[in-house]
Amino acid sequence: MATYSQDILIVGGGITGVALAYGLAGSGRRITVLDRQTPTNRASRTNVGLIWVQSKFLHLPDYARWGFLSSRAYPELVAELEAVSGLRIPVQFRGGLIPVLGEAEYRQRGDYIVKLRETLGEYRGDMIDRAALDALLPGIRFGREVTGAAWCEEDGVIEPLALLRAYRAALPRKGVELVDRDVLDVRPREGGGYQAITDNGIFEAETLVLAAGLANRRLARFALNDVPLYPDMGQVLLVERMPYVMPIPVLGATQTFGGTVIIGFRHENSGHRMSVEQKGVSGEGQWAMRVWPELADKRVIRSWVGLRVMPNDGMAIYSRLPGHANAYLICTHSAVTLAAAHTRLLPPFLLGGELPETARGMTLQRFGIAC
Ligand SMILES: Cc1cc2nc3c(=O)[nH]c(=O)nc-3n(C[C@H](O)[C@H](O)[C@H](O)COP(=O)(O)OP(=O)(O)OC[C@H]3O[C@@H](n4cnc5c(N)ncnc54)[C@H](O)[C@@H]3O)c2cc1C
């Protein structure tokens, strides 16, 4: 069996793996990303594309700050990726909205924003009333129960498949190899470094980065039996194409750049089930029609399930593996939102340095795992 040798091996070429690889390009290291599409590890290809930092997370202020850092790094990154890849990436950096129904919900969301602002010291958002919401999105006739929305100017939306494609097209131009292989196993090599055993050859490197989504649980077993990570199921309805009226994304009923509307925001811990169930989507469908009644006259043209890569406490995991100074575990459930932070801010850590201060609490140590 052929053996290939590199400095850094990244297992997983979803949005996390490619964002890290792109950030590492230019470090002078020889880098290979190994990726093979699997039926369950599809979060990078089934998501909504929100760059979403509002309401995240009062109980995890550093995680909230990390999201803001990513959102602020995004515009320059997208411009660069477009130039390097030669591909256009549809994106809006004009904020985001969470509509509320009734007065009680309006007050509740408003209280949350007040607390968030107190905790973070700064927060570029607020509640807006119905008149302001109508003025922001004049092409949408909101339902009569809608009293306003939570608004954050640092949110946005990107065409997630275009982002993934652009990263993947840019990598070879930056000298990074992207190789289609099924990684069957990874293990430490005698005398140092790591081996990835694939369906076609063995890949070796000094440094290993596991960015394979939920498959990280299996691939990390050489160092950690129980990765604190679970599949968090999202079920989504796709509504037929309508004229483009949502340049500012609405959480829960988000219009894509192509004009279709994605409904669905539920989180369920149901193992690896991949089938859509009516009870899992009907509540969100009803909510969406109360917010945007015109949807009631439209056809649902597709539905799908996607499994989020969810660390047990809802934060990201950026960590060395226990006993392995050169093996890294990267798992996040908001990897589109965080792609810019992953590209711009994580590479020094993967090259042996420290995590950025805001992300220092995101290692495995918080789960009581020495690393
Ligand atoms: C319905 C839904 C909506 C979402 N909406 C948003 C959103 O609006 N904004 C946001 O920020 N996030 C959103 N997310 C979350 C986001 O999609 C994930 O955080 C992100 O996709 C995780 O990316 P990843 O690269 O870490 O993992 P994955 O997407 O799982 O990618 C892992 C990659 O590794 C490959 N792989 C796995 N095992 C192997 C192996 N053995 N050999 C070779 N390759 C392998 C897989 O094929 C895949 O390409 C959403 C998720 C869902 C399910």
Side-chain angles (χ1 to χ4, degrees), residues 11-17 34-38 40-52 56 168 181-184 211-215 218-219 232 234-236 304-309 330-338:
V11 181
I15 193 65
T16 301
L34 300 173
D35 184 66
R36 168 75 50 86
Q37 290 202 31
T38 73
T40 47
N41 297 278
R42 295 189 46 78
S44 294
R45 296 166 179 92
T46 56
N47 68 79
V48 184
L50 294 167
I51 299 165
W52 206 257
K56 272 182 190 170
R168 292 173 77 101
R181 291 287 194 285
D182 183 6
V183 178
L184 308 173
L214 292 165
R218 176 173 66 80
L219 296 170
D232 175 54
Q235 303 191 49
V236 165
W304 68 80
V305 161
L307 301 177
R308 299 183 188 88
V309 183
I330 309 291
C331 316
T332 79
H333 63 88
S334 292
V336 177
T337 302
L338 295 175

Side-chain angles (χ1 to χ4, degrees), residues 119-286:
T119 307
L120 298 176
E122 101 167 301
Y123 182 75
R124 300 181 197 170
D126 220 328
M127 292 306 289
I128 57 167
D129 64 15
R130 172 63 188 260
L133 175 62
D134 288 338
L136 276 181
L137 293 177
I140 298 181
R141 203 170 303 153
F142 287 100
R144 59 184 166 71
E145 296 168 88
V146 176
T147 43
W151 149 255
C152 177
E153 72 176 63
E154 302 209 63
D155 293 330
V157 63
I158 194 159
E159 182 11 298
L161 294 177
L163 176 67
L164 187 62
R165 263 196 301 275
Y167 267 125
R168 292 173 77 101
L171 286 179
R173 294 174 185 196
K174 291 282 214 176
V176 175
E177 251 192 336
L178 183 57
V179 186
D180 178 15
R181 291 287 194 285
D182 183 6
V183 178
L184 308 173
D185 196 12
V186 287
R187 56 188 180 213
R189 201 174 46 178
E190 258 178 53
Y194 296 88
Q195 283 188 327
I197 319 299
T198 78
D199 59 327
N200 187 3
I202 296 175
F203 289 73
E204 299 190 328
E206 290 308 310
T207 298
L208 172 72
V209 179
L210 294 181
L214 292 165
N216 277 349
R217 295 184 302 179
R218 176 173 66 80
L219 296 170
R221 264 189 211 137
F222 69 88
L224 183 60
N225 256 330
D226 194 8
V227 176
L229 185 70
Y230 67 94
D232 175 54
M233 187 174 73
Q235 303 191 49
V236 165
L237 298 174
L238 188 73
V239 176
E240 68 179 308
R241 207 174 292 276
M242 297 160 70
Y244 185 65
V245 288
M246 198 185 283
I248 300 171
V250 169
L251 186 70
T254 311
Q255 192 170 34
T256 67
F257 290 90
T260 52
V261 176
I262 297 181
I263 296 174
F265 41 80
R266 185 194 279 252
H267 292 249
E268 282 173 72
N269 187 350
S270 307
H272 283 86
R273 186 163 67 73
M274 292 300 288
S275 55
V276 173
E277 280 190 351
Q278 196 198 344
K279 71 175 169 51
V281 284
S282 56
E284 278 75 15
Q286 278 159 9

